[in-house]
Amino acid sequence: MGLKLLLAVVWLVSIQLTLSSAEPRSFSIDYKNNCFLKDGKPFQYVSGSIHYSRIPSYYWKDRLLKMYMTGLNAIQVYVPWNFHEPVRGVYGFQGDRDLEHFLSLANQTGLLVILRPGPYICAEWEMGGLPAWLLEKPNIHLRTADADYLEAVSSWFAVLLPRVSKWLYSRGGNIISVQVENEYGSYFACDYNYLRHLQTLFRSFLGEDTLLFTTDGNTDREMMCGTLEGLYATVDFGTDTNVSAAFARQRRFEPKGPLVNSEFYTGWLDHWGEAHASVDTMRVSRMLEEMLAMGANVNMYMFEGGTNFGYWNGADYDSRYRSVVTSYDYNAPLTEAGDPTDKLLAIREVISKFREIPEGPMPPATPKMEYGFVTLQRVGNVSGLLDVLTPQGPVQSHYPLTFEEIKHYYGFVLYRTKLPQSIPDGQPLISPRNGIHDRAYVSVNGVYQGLLERDTGLVMNVTGQEGDQLDVLVENMGRVNFGSKINDNKGIMGELILGSNVLTDWLIFPVDLDGAISRGWPHSGMHHWLPPHLGDGPALYETPDSLAGDEEMPDLLAGEGAGPTVYKGILPPNGIAWDTYIKLIGWTKGQVWVNGVNLGRFWPARGPQQTLYVPGPLLSTTRSNNITVLELEKAPTTTRLLFMDRPQLNATMGKS
Ligand SMILES: *[C@@H]1O[C@H](CO)[C@@H](O)[C@H](O)[C@H]1NC(C)=O
Ligand SMILES: *[C@@H]1O[C@H](CO)[C@@H](O)[C@H](O)[C@H]1NC(C)=O
Ligand SMILES: *[C@@H]1O[C@H](CO)[C@@H](O)[C@H](O)[C@H]1NC(C)=O
Ligand SMILES: *[C@@H]1O[C@H](CO)[C@@H](O)[C@H](O)[C@H]1NC(C)=O
Ligand SMILES: *[C@@H]1O[C@H](CO)[C@@H](O)[C@H](O)[C@H]1NC(C)=O
Ligand SMILES: *[C@@H]1O[C@H](CO)[C@@H](O)[C@H](O)[C@H]1NC(C)=O
């Protein structure tokens, strides 16, 4: 008996030893042979960026499979902190925020993961992923060793990193490496104590054996401030850069080890009011081939861009504030709707020269549907709907408070006061020091008078009588995500001046359209409205070309019927729930919800984006689909939307 047991134990131990030496599950750097080592063997990754926060969770698997079928062996993934901790101490990891489900799907698909948990991520995402509540501390030094900032980061990482650590490659998961911060060298602060603090945090949660790295833009200054001993230094660059010169720069900071381009730009982003960006397919595929032939590791940014749903777009601030559009199509190999493009096929062709492409067909584009026109009805103006939109009532303050001060971080806030004197001939309403962040829609007694806009519209004329109600609806168009101006508070900064009077005694209404809509408003509890019709006239659907002469451009003059107004309509169920695109012909600027989901901003008057992506699974095949539109400036005379079967992301702009 005793001997048998002993033999059994010896046998089990020897099995264990054989298993562990056969499957070491390790990922490391071979400094001698200038490559990565996976399970002790040389490894080169061909990776693509995909942001789960920009794709509905029901499509994650589809997108990952298409990436796998292109021949990628890894994906690169940002974790947006503000997506998971929108309010301090309140965490969300369910549904579209279920990071572990996403990691699991990638693992099942056969994709390794390069994780980029920030805390700052840029990504053209609201505030570069930092939560707006950090700004409640005035003058907080973001992305530095500021004690309050570090405390918030530490609390967040204590929640995030234990979840992630289970997915490390060495522990049976698929995460092969983890990026610390993001292009930190591009930030003015250059604070090594901050990087060291992050390094310690990552090490304490992820262990000593996890491969940590940094990514920086391709200049010496950026490499200087963004790198740290113990974190492997990588670079990022696009098709306009000389590959050998770029990798020579990486070599100055990492004389040995694998060459890595962590962000090879397959496309580029769009800003409202600017030309649509694209990157030539030939240049992408040629340069990819050049890098892979050198044995370099490449991550393509983006492989699948997706959508800035809701209020999640970021903004740049160089000479002026420039807001990023809703679509994050990025001219990437997979479109915003996850459809393969010629760019994807060209990339797959290149990859096939270096590694085996999985057998089997590339999954096709998802089907698209032209549902035609839906007519909308006016629900009311925002000023008249505050009972519903701000059920808790306003905050009172002598001077205006910021969005952050009233803890209403995204969307809209309405500031209300009274005209201190009669101004029948009009007086200038001025935001001194450029303090409207980012746009303000101004009405007197519910009648729209015009708007103020950050950097470009700092004064407008207002008329009215003493005691009239002045309403200023301020829109947050996305916090700055890059550069030195990321402390981007929203609302009215400082004060508003009318003529020579500083306006005081404000009622400040946090406008919660999303909350009201999620409770069923404005479709529920309305008994006397006519069902809108699908289609106008004989043709259910007209091509964009045939509509060209028919487009009603809004009359942008202020007045009757203009200003922030809510509309609603119904897309009747027709048994099919396919992807579609909403075109807002003649509408000016605003926001659209379908069945309670905020699809993002529209601004066809500025362009270049003309259509909003509607993921098919949002639609019901059996129940009326509820559409809500907030138009901020002026709706067309015929208030209808067109559901088309293709996107329009590149229309000439400058009409407003
Ligand atoms: C990841 O996938 C591999 C291979 O399919 C599987 O053996 C492993 O258990 C998965 N890991 C996790 C954490 O699910
Ligand atoms: C790229 O830079 C290298 C030197 O770093 C130079 O020899 C080469 O000619 C450059 N290539 C191009 C296309 O400019
Ligand atoms: C966008 O449209 C303009 C005008 O039609 C055209 O010149 C430009 O090449 C287009 N850009 C892209 C990226 O398709
Ligand atoms: C805005 O709505 C309020 C309340 O319904 C109404 O009294 C007011 O006339 C409306 N203003 C305009 C310009 O329609
Ligand atoms: C305001 O009114 C004055 C006088 O009517 C006019 O000269 C000025 O251009 C107006 N300003 C704006 C911003 O409309
Ligand atoms: C549309 O709204 C009505 C009223 O709130 C609700 O009964 C219905 O379920 C909604 N439709 C969908 C598809 O959610």
Side-chain angles (χ1 to χ4, degrees):
M1 283 284 272
L3 185 63
K4 249 191 190 163
L5 187 62
L6 183 64
L7 282 175
V9 167
V10 167
W11 179 75
L12 273 174
V13 166
S14 67
I15 289 259
Q16 284 280 300
L17 285 173
T18 324
L19 276 178
S20 59
S21 57
E23 295 183 60
R25 285 199 77 88
S26 63
F27 195 85
S28 60
I29 287 175
D30 180 347
Y31 285 98
K32 218 154 112 215
N33 296 303
N34 297 327
C35 63
F36 288 115
L37 286 180
K38 181 168 163 277
D39 305 336
K41 296 192 201 74
F43 178 79
Q44 179 184 25
Y45 66 68
V46 188
S47 168
S49 280
I50 172 170
H51 299 159
Y52 60 93
S53 55
R54 287 180 159 132
I55 302 167
S57 52
Y58 32 73
Y59 275 144
W60 289 348
K61 176 88 189 162
D62 170 75
R63 311 304 194 248
L64 291 167
L65 183 60
K66 287 166 178 163
M67 294 173 83
Y68 177 77
M69 294 305 291
T70 307
L72 306 185
N73 54 11
I75 57 171
Q76 189 162 285
V77 183
Y78 275 135
V79 181
W81 178 5
N82 53 11
F83 193 59
H84 294 282
E85 193 183 355
V87 173
R88 189 193 290 266
V90 178
Y91 303 98
F93 286 98
Q94 316 267 285
D96 292 341
R97 290 169 171 75
D98 193 344
L99 170 61
E100 288 192 64
H101 180 52
F102 182 79
L103 294 173
S104 169
L105 289 174
N107 187 54
Q108 283 167 33
T109 311
L111 291 164
L112 298 166
V113 171
I114 301 155
L115 196 73
R116 310 207 286 173
Y120 164 87
I121 62 168
C122 187
E124 287 80 66
W125 186 260
E126 229 282 335
M127 205 170 156
L130 298 178
W133 47 260
L134 289 169
L135 298 173
E136 285 167 19
K137 178 192 175 189
N139 305 318
I140 187 168
H141 296 286
L142 301 169
R143 304 180 71 193
T144 71
D146 178 301
D148 296 283
Y149 174 70
L150 286 188
E151 191 198 305
V153 170
S154 301
S155 306
W156 161 234
F157 275 2
V159 171
L160 174 69
L161 296 183
R163 288 171 179 267
V164 159
S165 66
K166 290 180 275 194
W167 289 92
L168 289 169
Y169 185 74
S170 60
R171 303 182 193 179
N174 51 351
I175 297 175
I176 52 173
S177 60
V178 177
Q179 184 184 297
V180 176
E181 245 275 350
N182 186 64
E183 294 184 337
Y184 186 61
S186 309
Y187 194 54
F188 69 93
C190 197
D191 180 350
Y192 293 108
N193 287 332
Y194 168 52
L195 279 189
R196 272 191 284 269
H197 179 90
L198 292 182
Q199 184 181 32
T200 307
L201 271 179
F202 277 105
R203 285 274 169 246
S204 69
F205 286 106
L206 304 181
E208 291 302 319
D209 58 337
T210 299
L211 177 56
L212 300 180
F213 71 102
T214 57
T215 298
D216 278 287
N218 200 19
T219 66
D220 281 340
R221 196 271 175 192
E222 287 164 271
M223 293 295 286
M224 252 351 213
C225 291
T227 58
L228 191 71
E229 175 92 49
L231 308 177
Y232 191 72
T234 76
V235 289
D236 55 14
F237 56 91
T239 52
D240 54 356
T241 302
N242 178 322
V243 172
S244 42
F247 282 136
R249 180 166 280 115
Q250 189 196 352
R251 276 277 170 259
R252 286 216 287 285
F253 290 81
E254 292 292 355
K256 304 292 279 174
L259 296 175
V260 181
N261 183 351
S262 289
E263 291 189 3
F264 171 52
Y265 304 107
T266 59
W268 201 249
L269 62 137
D270 286 352
H271 297 99
W272 292 115
E274 297 176 19
H276 179 52
S278 69
V279 173
D280 180 64
T281 295
M282 278 296 287
R283 296 184 63 179
V284 170
S285 52
R286 264 200 229 123
M287 195 155 165
L288 178 64
E289 179 159 359
E290 185 183 352
M291 290 187 287
L292 294 180
M294 295 167 77
N297 298 270
V298 180
N299 172 71
M300 288 169 264
Y301 189 100
M302 296 299 298
F303 202 87
E304 149 85 51
T307 309
N308 293 309
F309 292 112
Y311 309 113
W312 288 119
N313 68 280
D316 281 292
Y317 202 115
D318 19 60
S319 54
R320 65 186 170 84
Y321 174 83
R322 298 153 68 217
S323 180
V324 173
V325 304
T326 302
S327 172
Y328 202 65
D329 178 89
Y330 210 82
N331 193 227
L334 287 168
T335 67
E336 177 177 17
D339 297 334
T341 61
D342 290 347
K343 192 174 276 179
L344 176 140
L345 299 177
I347 286 169
R348 185 174 63 166
E349 189 64 33
V350 169
I351 295 173
S352 71
K353 298 177 188 172
F354 299 91
R355 56 190 310 267
E356 220 170 297
I357 303 287
E359 277 185 36
M362 173 64 58
T366 48
K368 305 292 184 293
M369 185 73 186
E370 326 169 334
Y371 294 94
F373 286 104
V374 166
T375 299
L376 303 185
Q377 297 166 283
R378 190 173 188 278
V379 174
N381 60 59
V382 169
S383 292
L385 293 169
L386 292 174
D387 287 354
V388 179
L389 302 179
T390 311
Q392 77 274 36
V395 177
Q396 270 181 288
S397 174
H398 193 63
Y399 293 113
L401 301 173
T402 64
F403 280 41
E404 295 79 16
E405 282 171 316
I406 62 165
K407 298 187 193 298
H408 180 76
Y409 306 112
Y410 306 106
F412 303 88
V413 170
L414 188 138
Y415 297 79
R416 173 173 287 174
T417 187
K418 290 193 180 340
L419 294 185
Q421 64 190 68
S422 292
I423 39 174
D425 302 325
Q427 272 191 354
L429 178 68
I430 302 165
S431 149
R433 297 190 300 278
N434 195 9
I436 297 294
H437 295 187
D438 303 296
R439 272 186 137 220
Y441 307 89
V442 179
S443 335
V444 175
N445 282 351
V447 178
Y448 184 57
Q449 298 214 352
L451 60 87
L452 298 169
E453 185 170 332
R454 189 172 182 179
D455 297 317
T456 56
L458 307 187
V459 55
M460 62 172 278
N461 286 335
V462 166
T463 57
Q465 300 302 311
E466 182 182 342
D468 280 358
Q469 176 176 292
L470 174 72
D471 278 356
V472 181
L473 181 72
V474 177
E475 177 187 13
N476 163 5
M477 291 208 302
R479 289 186 180 78
V480 173
N481 59 260
F482 182 78
S484 58
K485 293 195 157 65
I486 54 172
N487 284 55
D488 189 17
N489 291 79
K490 295 302 184 184
I492 300 175
M493 307 297 114
E495 52 211 29
L496 271 188
I497 296 175
L498 183 61
S500 53
N501 294 296
V502 172
L503 294 171
T504 57
D505 300 310
W506 293 91
L507 293 177
I508 303 167
F509 297 79
V511 175
D512 187 15
L513 278 151
D514 298 84
I517 291 168
S518 72
R519 291 187 293 271
W521 181 88
H523 293 83
S524 57
M526 314 290 277
H527 302 296
H528 41 268
W529 54 273
L530 300 167
H533 45 292
L534 176 68
D536 257 9
L540 262 187
Y541 177 75
E542 299 168 55
T543 65
D545 294 341
S546 70
L547 279 167
D550 186 33
E551 301 211 1
E552 304 165 54
M553 287 317 295
D555 164 15
L556 289 167
L557 293 175
E560 216 37 46
T565 306
V566 177
Y567 297 82
K568 67 169 182 176
I570 293 281
L571 173 66
N574 70 353
I576 294 174
W578 288 352
D579 283 8
T580 182
Y581 300 88
I582 296 180
K583 179 161 168 135
L584 295 115
I585 302 159
W587 298 75
T588 310
K589 185 182 197 310
Q591 206 90 27
V592 179
W593 291 258
V594 169
N595 290 333
V597 173
N598 188 334
L599 293 180
R601 304 168 207 275
F602 63 86
W603 201 354
R606 281 269 165 103
Q609 180 174 1
Q610 298 296 318
T611 55
L612 288 176
Y613 173 54
V614 186
L618 261 191
L619 300 175
S620 172
T621 53
T622 54
R623 283 177 299 147
S624 296
N625 293 291
N626 300 316
I627 314 217
T628 311
V629 171
L630 168 68
E631 166 60 60
L632 292 160
E633 294 179 51
K634 187 112 175 72
T637 324
T638 311
T639 52
R640 58 183 191 175
L641 306 179
L642 175 60
F643 287 78
M644 333 206 298
D645 63 356
R646 75 203 93 141
Q648 284 181 357
L649 299 177
N650 178 24
T652 37
M653 14 92 204
K655 283 169 179 163
S656 164

